[in-house]
Amino acid sequence: MQNSDAMALSAALLAAAGGLTQRIHEGVVARGFEGLRPAHGFAFARLAPDGATVTDLAAHLGTTKQAASQLVEELVRKGFAERRPHPVDARARLIVLTERGWDCTRAAEEAAAEAVRAWADVIGEVEVRALHGLLVRVAPNGPLRPTW
């Protein structure tokens, strides 16, 4: 692959990811979840299903523990997450989604499904499934993090 082809592919993937992130965020807001940023959704992805420590969240987001702590404080203050004692490490706190956080997560899943259906309208459902399979092969474990 030529450099210019690689750059064009990179630009297309980044544009698709950015557009998808924006569509999901807009869908979440349209479903009544105000006061969130797309970065919160990336945190939700790590907190579901079993919670995480601030250290885990910082590693997932590619940020400092201080920045992750601020994000957690914001999610707690807005009622999307809560701190619980860690089941194994008495020194750590486990950050878990509240019912409101789970409701928001379900709203994001619905918005993501709508966005992907729009892709299927353009390239077809078979191609969307093929794209999914190819991307999972290229990036099987993420990371799933915002571009700060």
Side-chain angles (χ1 to χ4, degrees):
M1 180 175 276
Q2 298 290 328
N3 285 349
S4 59
D5 293 336
M7 286 302 294
L9 175 59
S10 298
L13 286 170
L14 291 170
L20 182 60
T21 299
Q22 187 61 35
R23 295 265 324 255
I24 293 170
H25 177 69
E26 289 169 354
V28 166
V29 170
R31 287 166 173 80
F33 295 96
E34 300 284 333
L36 293 173
R37 301 184 316 273
H40 292 121
F42 291 96
F44 281 34
R46 178 59 184 93
L47 295 177
D50 300 319
T53 65
V54 169
T55 301
D56 296 334
L57 189 58
H60 172 77
L61 295 173
T63 188
T64 64
K65 287 195 293 186
Q66 293 82 2
S69 289
Q70 289 176 347
L71 189 84
V72 165
E73 184 56 40
E74 192 175 353
L75 291 175
V76 168
R77 188 176 64 252
K78 292 179 180 193
F80 292 103
E82 64 185 11
R83 294 178 184 89
R84 291 187 183 162
H86 195 283
V88 178
D89 184 352
R91 298 168 298 155
R93 304 284 286 168
L94 192 65
I95 314 305
V96 298
L97 295 177
T98 61
E99 191 58 40
R100 178 174 162 83
W102 282 109
D103 290 345
C104 186
T105 298
R106 285 186 286 276
E109 289 174 2
E110 292 170 4
E114 288 175 1
V116 171
R117 276 194 297 276
W119 288 1
D121 291 344
V122 174
I123 64 172
E125 190 169 328
V126 170
E127 288 81 359
V128 169
R129 289 184 191 281
L131 177 62
H132 175 249
L134 293 169
L135 291 174
V136 168
R137 286 174 50 199
V138 172
N141 299 314
L144 182 62
R145 59 174 57 141
T147 54
W148 302 97

